[in-house]
Amino acid sequence: MKVTVSRKGHFNAAHRLYRKDWSDEKNQEVFDKCSNPNFHGHNYEIIVSVTGEIDKETGYVIDIKTLKDIIKEEVEDAFDHKNLNLEVKEFKNLNPTAENISIVIYNKIKPRIKPDLDLEITLYETPRNFVSYSGN
Amino acid sequence: MKVTVSRKGHFNAAHRLYRKDWSDEKNQEVFDKCSNPNFHGHNYEIIVSVTGEIDKETGYVIDIKTLKDIIKEEVEDAFDHKNLNLEVKEFKNLNPTAENISIVIYNKIKPRIKPDLDLEITLYETPRNFVSYSGN
Amino acid sequence: MKVTVSRKGHFNAAHRLYRKDWSDEKNQEVFDKCSNPNFHGHNYEIIVSVTGEIDKETGYVIDIKTLKDIIKEEVEDAFDHKNLNLEVKEFKNLNPTAENISIVIYNKIKPRIKPDLDLEITLYETPRNFVSYSGN
Amino acid sequence: MKVTVSRKGHFNAAHRLYRKDWSDEKNQEVFDKCSNPNFHGHNYEIIVSVTGEIDKETGYVIDIKTLKDIIKEEVEDAFDHKNLNLEVKEFKNLNPTAENISIVIYNKIKPRIKPDLDLEITLYETPRNFVSYSGN
Amino acid sequence: MKVTVSRKGHFNAAHRLYRKDWSDEKNQEVFDKCSNPNFHGHNYEIIVSVTGEIDKETGYVIDIKTLKDIIKEEVEDAFDHKNLNLEVKEFKNLNPTAENISIVIYNKIKPRIKPDLDLEITLYETPRNFVSYSGN
Amino acid sequence: MKVTVSRKGHFNAAHRLYRKDWSDEKNQEVFDKCSNPNFHGHNYEIIVSVTGEIDKETGYVIDIKTLKDIIKEEVEDAFDHKNLNLEVKEFKNLNPTAENISIVIYNKIKPRIKPDLDLEITLYETPRNFVSYSGN
């Protein structure tokens, strides 16, 4: 019996959409106000969803406290109150679109959970814009 | 790497559940107070979700501004502050249940996005009632 | 020790902003798309707030079940799945703006609670537009 | 054309995570503060999602009033204002983790809907922790 | 220039409405299912609002981190995953209605903030029921 | 009969808490991670509340479309996708705490509404932290 267990997290960060290998004009043209060189920011809400068999012993798929700690270590401590472009190494050469942020988070959390568990990341950039990624 | 990108929209409309080819009594019997001949209404919340490969150039599956504009043109401008039964041509002969509204919206938006992108429509009729349709 | 006790309710209704004593043109000019003759509608959310001394016996300002029943009888049963202009007698000659609806609700609920309790009505017409009225 | 129809419900209950066949120490060690012998509690929010073909006659997958009634009878009347461990027979010998509660609810609702409809249960234990189960 | 600064907190607890000096029958009659002897529970959401002059130096009324820590110490650490009736000393002889809980929280937090700051406590017992108390 | 009419708005911005006349060390000491020199950011949600007599003619305190336009011009166009410290003139020499942002917004909107209307600004910096200011 497979169940999906989800836990929400939160971080506030500055970013801009930007490719180093493009001119400022090209960045501005493609990414518009999202490429403001002085940055803008978001309250990112994240949902981490883990799917797998229920452990007969505990009745858990994963201890939600464990999941909460993983989110804290891999996401909140790493991204909160940071400038994603300047201070988070995964975005040194990667444009921090919501899509790319969700993949980076997936890749950070996947090795922290058991290999037979499926993982999905949902990332709210604003209350009206969000993305999800499940490793496919 | 496939990611799902979602954008929320909103419209307020009047409607009644009603089939022209049924008597008023039959409509009343089946649809109850939802078939009030004087109409009732909702704040419909819509989530449009597009799934596809990330564009390597931009880091986008779809530019969220493009998606926002499509929702405005196909849904908000077409349905907002309207009477769905009387003023929206798709419901001239189609009962505007949440299920049918979600299919109509799917069919209006699908031709506006690239053919290799998957589409799902989630429609909240009230905060407690909602439907989703993904073209299958 | 005065405490405010609040209870949420909900109703779905059709309406249009409209004054009988104005021409259709004048109504259209002043109320714009909100005056659509075919009506539009909303999921109205209501918060009824009652302020007063705590009863030493029960620890209640008002039994929330009593308040829930009053909201059901005076608001939900009276307005839900109705056309406010055509079917609710209070709006026969009163324009059903959010402001006026909140006053009508206040006047219906006030006689149902003890005279020494203060009352405030908050009415959400949409998640982004709301009004409140406390009898002053 | 398959559509998913969802309806939210709500119940407040006390519980503790606990296995009868484990010592108090073992329960405490594994379930930590969630195993408090004096219980704690939650406002559980539930989403019941039913997927199937639209009925050509009605435009419904399932009448949402029917679904609302099933949720009331099988979940809200059965669990609301109860102690899950002491008063709900399904948890006499089953640890009431969110995972297990979602499966119990699935098993109660599945026989109440037509066999060709798919069912998914999403259960919010808190606004930040939730699970979902779809019978697989 | 006076500004109100608010911070949300959260705790999960079991309780029952109950007066020791009343018979079980009387408790049951007055408090109905809320007096279930086996307890029920809630995810309590709390908003702590502090009003005062802005400090010219910092631009703060109160450092939100300080307020967060006070809520953690006085409310979350004291009430979370507890049985309010059995384990929280303030309710040994006080019926834990939402009204009384809000007053207890007010009285715990008031001495922790500067005397010239006004305080208001808003407590959500469920998403639909809430109370507020500001010391008057 | 006085009613309060409220409208929500939204903007995404980068900022840091910072006083030019303090050393970096002092800023860091007082404002901690909120003073990150590379900035962080938020999805600010704003509620603009206007209180006054209902206009007998229209049933409005203020036309909500007018209020929506004022919020767009004075707040959203001015602050959205901006760096508050570097690009918004009001914060050239003013620390952009939530408290100060709410006062700046109040001062921008007040001259745009009729003098006999009262104004209150509520600003959510995150879903858990918010402030309100009403000109006193």
Side-chain angles (χ1 to χ4, degrees):
Chain A
M1 289 183 308
K2 287 197 166 189
V3 172
T4 300
V5 174
S6 297
R7 171 77 194 172
K8 291 192 187 177
H10 179 87
F11 62 95
N12 312 323
H15 84 148
R16 64 179 294 207
L17 300 188
Y18 177 69
R19 286 186 61 131
K20 279 185 184 170
D21 57 340
W22 284 359
S23 67
D24 277 358
E25 290 71 21
K26 178 88 186 277
N27 273 293
Q28 185 68 31
E29 181 196 319
V30 174
F31 300 122
D32 199 47
K33 64 181 180 179
C34 297
S35 196
N36 179 348
N38 291 314
F39 308 101
H40 65 285
H42 298 291
N43 302 326
Y44 291 94
E45 297 279 343
I46 182 176
I47 302 173
V48 177
S49 299
V50 172
T51 302
E53 296 289 335
I54 293 187
D55 180 302
K56 288 282 168 54
E57 287 289 301
T58 58
Y60 283 162
V61 169
I62 186 172
D63 186 338
I64 203 91
K65 291 191 304 296
T66 305
L67 189 56
K68 181 182 174 185
D69 289 345
I70 293 172
I71 295 170
K72 182 175 186 305
E73 291 165 26
E74 299 295 341
V75 183
E76 294 173 343
D77 289 350
F79 296 173
D80 189 42
H81 281 75
K82 295 283 170 60
N83 183 308
L84 298 181
N85 303 70
L86 303 182
E87 298 177 299
V88 177
K89 71 174 190 298
E90 286 85 354
F91 302 108
K92 276 275 151 62
N93 295 299
L94 181 68
N95 189 5
T97 60
E99 289 92 328
N100 282 335
I101 299 172
S102 71
I103 293 172
V104 163
I105 291 173
Y106 180 95
N107 289 335
K108 294 186 77 174
I109 293 182
K110 192 71 177 72
R112 297 288 306 269
I113 61 174
K114 288 190 198 152
D116 57 339
L117 295 173
D118 291 324
L119 177 64
E120 184 176 48
I121 303 300
T122 299
L123 181 76
Y124 282 76
E125 194 171 75
T126 75
R128 315 216 96 181
N129 298 346
F130 58 100
V131 302
S132 55
Y133 176 65
S134 51
N136 301 308
Chain B
M1 289 183 307
K2 288 198 164 187
V3 172
T4 299
V5 174
S6 298
R7 170 77 192 171
K8 290 191 186 177
H10 179 88
F11 62 96
N12 312 322
H15 84 147
R16 63 178 295 206
L17 300 189
Y18 176 69
R19 287 186 63 130
K20 280 184 183 171
D21 57 340
W22 285 0
S23 67
D24 277 358
E25 290 71 22
K26 178 89 186 275
N27 273 293
Q28 185 68 31
E29 182 195 319
V30 174
F31 301 122
D32 199 46
K33 64 182 181 179
C34 297
S35 196
N36 179 349
N38 291 313
F39 307 101
H40 65 284
H42 298 291
N43 302 324
Y44 291 94
E45 297 280 341
I46 183 175
I47 302 172
V48 177
S49 300
V50 172
T51 303
E53 295 289 334
I54 294 187
D55 180 302
K56 289 282 170 50
E57 287 290 300
T58 58
Y60 282 162
V61 169
I62 185 173
D63 186 336
I64 204 91
K65 289 192 305 294
T66 306
L67 189 55
K68 182 183 174 183
D69 289 345
I70 293 172
I71 295 171
K72 183 174 185 306
E73 291 165 26
E74 299 296 341
V75 183
E76 294 173 342
D77 289 351
F79 296 173
D80 189 42
H81 281 77
K82 296 284 170 60
N83 183 308
L84 298 182
N85 303 70
L86 302 181
E87 298 178 299
V88 177
K89 71 173 189 296
E90 286 86 354
F91 301 108
K92 276 278 152 61
N93 296 298
L94 180 68
N95 190 5
T97 59
E99 289 92 329
N100 282 335
I101 299 172
S102 71
I103 294 172
V104 164
I105 291 172
Y106 180 95
N107 290 335
K108 295 187 76 175
I109 293 181
K110 192 72 178 72
R112 298 288 306 272
I113 60 173
K114 288 189 198 154
D116 56 340
L117 294 174
D118 292 323
L119 177 64
E120 184 176 48
I121 304 299
T122 299
L123 180 76
Y124 281 75
E125 195 171 75
T126 74
R128 316 216 95 180
N129 297 346
F130 58 100
V131 302
S132 55
Y133 176 65
S134 53
N136 301 309
Chain C
M1 289 181 308
K2 287 196 165 189
V3 172
T4 299
V5 174
S6 297
R7 170 79 193 171
K8 291 192 186 177
H10 179 86
F11 62 96
N12 312 322
H15 83 148
R16 64 179 294 206
L17 300 188
Y18 177 69
R19 286 186 62 131
K20 280 183 183 170
D21 58 339
W22 285 359
S23 67
D24 278 357
E25 289 72 23
K26 179 87 186 276
N27 273 293
Q28 186 68 32
E29 182 195 319
V30 174
F31 301 122
D32 199 44
K33 65 182 180 178
C34 296
S35 195
N36 179 347
N38 292 314
F39 307 101
H40 64 285
H42 298 291
N43 302 325
Y44 291 93
E45 297 279 341
I46 181 176
I47 302 173
V48 177
S49 300
V50 172
T51 303
E53 295 290 334
I54 294 187
D55 180 301
K56 288 283 169 51
E57 287 289 300
T58 59
Y60 283 162
V61 170
I62 185 172
D63 186 337
I64 204 92
K65 290 191 306 294
T66 306
L67 189 55
K68 181 183 174 183
D69 290 344
I70 293 172
I71 295 171
K72 181 173 186 305
E73 292 165 25
E74 298 295 341
V75 183
E76 293 173 342
D77 290 350
F79 296 174
D80 190 42
H81 281 76
K82 295 284 170 60
N83 183 307
L84 299 182
N85 302 69
L86 303 181
E87 298 178 299
V88 177
K89 70 174 190 297
E90 286 86 354
F91 301 108
K92 276 277 152 63
N93 296 298
L94 181 67
N95 189 6
T97 59
E99 288 91 329
N100 282 335
I101 300 172
S102 71
I103 293 172
V104 164
I105 292 173
Y106 180 94
N107 289 335
K108 295 186 77 174
I109 292 182
K110 192 72 178 72
R112 298 287 307 271
I113 60 174
K114 288 190 199 154
D116 57 339
L117 294 174
D118 292 324
L119 177 65
E120 184 176 48
I121 304 299
T122 300
L123 181 76
Y124 282 76
E125 195 171 75
T126 76
R128 317 216 95 182
N129 297 347
F130 57 100
V131 302
S132 55
Y133 177 65
S134 52
N136 302 311
Chain D
M1 289 183 308
K2 287 198 165 188
V3 172
T4 299
V5 174
S6 297
R7 169 79 193 170
K8 291 192 187 177
H10 180 86
F11 61 96
N12 311 323
H15 83 148
R16 63 178 295 205
L17 300 188
Y18 176 69
R19 286 186 62 130
K20 279 184 185 171
D21 57 340
W22 285 359
S23 67
D24 277 358
E25 290 70 24
K26 180 87 187 277
N27 274 293
Q28 185 66 31
E29 181 195 319
V30 174
F31 301 122
D32 199 45
K33 64 182 180 180
C34 297
S35 196
N36 180 348
N38 291 314
F39 307 101
H40 65 286
H42 299 290
N43 302 326
Y44 291 93
E45 297 279 343
I46 181 175
I47 302 173
V48 178
S49 299
V50 172
T51 303
E53 295 290 334
I54 293 186
D55 180 302
K56 287 282 169 52
E57 287 289 301
T58 57
Y60 282 162
V61 169
I62 185 173
D63 187 336
I64 203 93
K65 289 192 305 295
T66 306
L67 189 55
K68 181 183 173 184
D69 290 344
I70 292 172
I71 295 171
K72 182 175 185 305
E73 291 165 26
E74 298 295 342
V75 183
E76 294 172 342
D77 289 351
F79 296 173
D80 190 43
H81 281 76
K82 296 283 169 61
N83 183 308
L84 299 181
N85 302 70
L86 302 181
E87 298 178 300
V88 178
K89 70 173 188 300
E90 286 86 355
F91 302 108
K92 276 276 151 63
N93 296 298
L94 181 68
N95 189 6
T97 59
E99 289 92 328
N100 282 335
I101 300 172
S102 71
I103 293 172
V104 163
I105 292 173
Y106 179 95
N107 290 335
K108 295 186 77 174
I109 293 182
K110 192 74 178 69
R112 298 288 306 272
I113 61 174
K114 289 189 197 154
D116 57 338
L117 295 173
D118 292 323
L119 177 64
E120 185 175 49
I121 304 300
T122 301
L123 181 76
Y124 282 76
E125 195 171 76
T126 76
R128 316 216 97 182
N129 297 347
F130 58 100
V131 301
S132 54
Y133 176 65
S134 52
N136 302 309
Chain E
M1 288 182 309
K2 285 197 166 189
V3 172
T4 300
V5 174
S6 297
R7 169 78 192 170
K8 290 192 186 176
H10 179 86
F11 62 96
N12 313 322
H15 83 149
R16 64 179 294 206
L17 300 189
Y18 177 69
R19 287 187 61 131
K20 278 184 186 171
D21 56 340
W22 285 0
S23 67
D24 278 358
E25 291 70 23
K26 179 89 187 276
N27 273 293
Q28 185 67 31
E29 182 196 318
V30 174
F31 300 122
D32 199 46
K33 64 181 180 179
C34 297
S35 196
N36 180 348
N38 292 314
F39 307 101
H40 64 287
H42 298 291
N43 302 326
Y44 291 93
E45 297 279 343
I46 182 175
I47 302 173
V48 177
S49 300
V50 172
T51 302
E53 296 289 333
I54 294 186
D55 180 301
K56 288 281 169 54
E57 286 289 301
T58 58
Y60 282 163
V61 169
I62 185 173
D63 186 337
I64 204 91
K65 290 192 305 297
T66 305
L67 189 55
K68 182 183 174 184
D69 289 345
I70 292 172
I71 295 171
K72 182 174 186 304
E73 291 166 24
E74 298 295 341
V75 183
E76 294 173 342
D77 290 350
F79 296 173
D80 190 41
H81 281 75
K82 295 283 170 60
N83 183 308
L84 299 182
N85 302 70
L86 302 182
E87 299 178 298
V88 177
K89 70 174 189 296
E90 286 86 354
F91 301 108
K92 275 277 152 62
N93 296 297
L94 181 68
N95 189 7
T97 60
E99 289 92 329
N100 282 335
I101 300 172
S102 71
I103 294 172
V104 163
I105 291 173
Y106 180 95
N107 290 335
K108 295 186 77 174
I109 293 182
K110 192 73 178 71
R112 298 288 305 271
I113 60 174
K114 287 189 199 156
D116 56 338
L117 295 172
D118 292 324
L119 176 65
E120 184 176 49
I121 304 299
T122 300
L123 180 77
Y124 282 75
E125 194 172 75
T126 75
R128 315 216 97 181
N129 298 346
F130 57 100
V131 301
S132 55
Y133 176 66
S134 52
N136 302 308
Chain F
M1 291 183 305
K2 287 197 166 189
V3 172
T4 300
V5 174
S6 297
R7 169 79 192 170
K8 291 192 187 178
H10 180 86
F11 61 96
N12 312 323
H15 81 149
R16 64 179 294 206
L17 300 189
Y18 177 70
R19 287 186 60 131
K20 279 185 185 171
D21 57 339
W22 284 0
S23 67
D24 278 357
E25 290 70 22
K26 179 86 186 277
N27 274 293
Q28 185 67 32
E29 181 196 319
V30 174
F31 300 122
D32 199 45
K33 64 182 180 177
C34 297
S35 196
N36 179 347
N38 291 314
F39 306 102
H40 65 285
H42 299 290
N43 302 325
Y44 291 93
E45 297 280 341
I46 181 175
I47 302 173
V48 178
S49 300
V50 172
T51 303
E53 295 289 334
I54 294 186
D55 180 302
K56 287 284 169 52
E57 286 289 301
T58 58
Y60 283 163
V61 169
I62 185 172
D63 187 337
I64 203 93
K65 289 192 304 297
T66 306
L67 189 55
K68 182 183 173 183
D69 290 344
I70 293 172
I71 295 171
K72 183 176 185 303
E73 291 166 25
E74 299 296 340
V75 183
E76 294 173 342
D77 289 350
F79 296 173
D80 189 43
H81 281 77
K82 296 283 170 60
N83 183 308
L84 299 181
N85 302 70
L86 302 181
E87 297 177 300
V88 177
K89 71 173 189 298
E90 286 86 354
F91 302 108
K92 276 276 151 61
N93 296 298
L94 180 69
N95 189 5
T97 59
E99 289 92 329
N100 282 336
I101 300 172
S102 71
I103 294 172
V104 164
I105 291 173
Y106 180 96
N107 289 335
K108 294 187 77 173
I109 292 182
K110 192 74 178 71
R112 296 288 306 270
I113 60 173
K114 288 188 200 155
D116 57 339
L117 294 173
D118 291 324
L119 176 65
E120 184 177 48
I121 305 299
T122 301
L123 181 77
Y124 282 75
E125 195 170 74
T126 76
R128 317 216 95 182
N129 297 346
F130 57 100
V131 301
S132 55
Y133 176 65
S134 52
N136 302 309

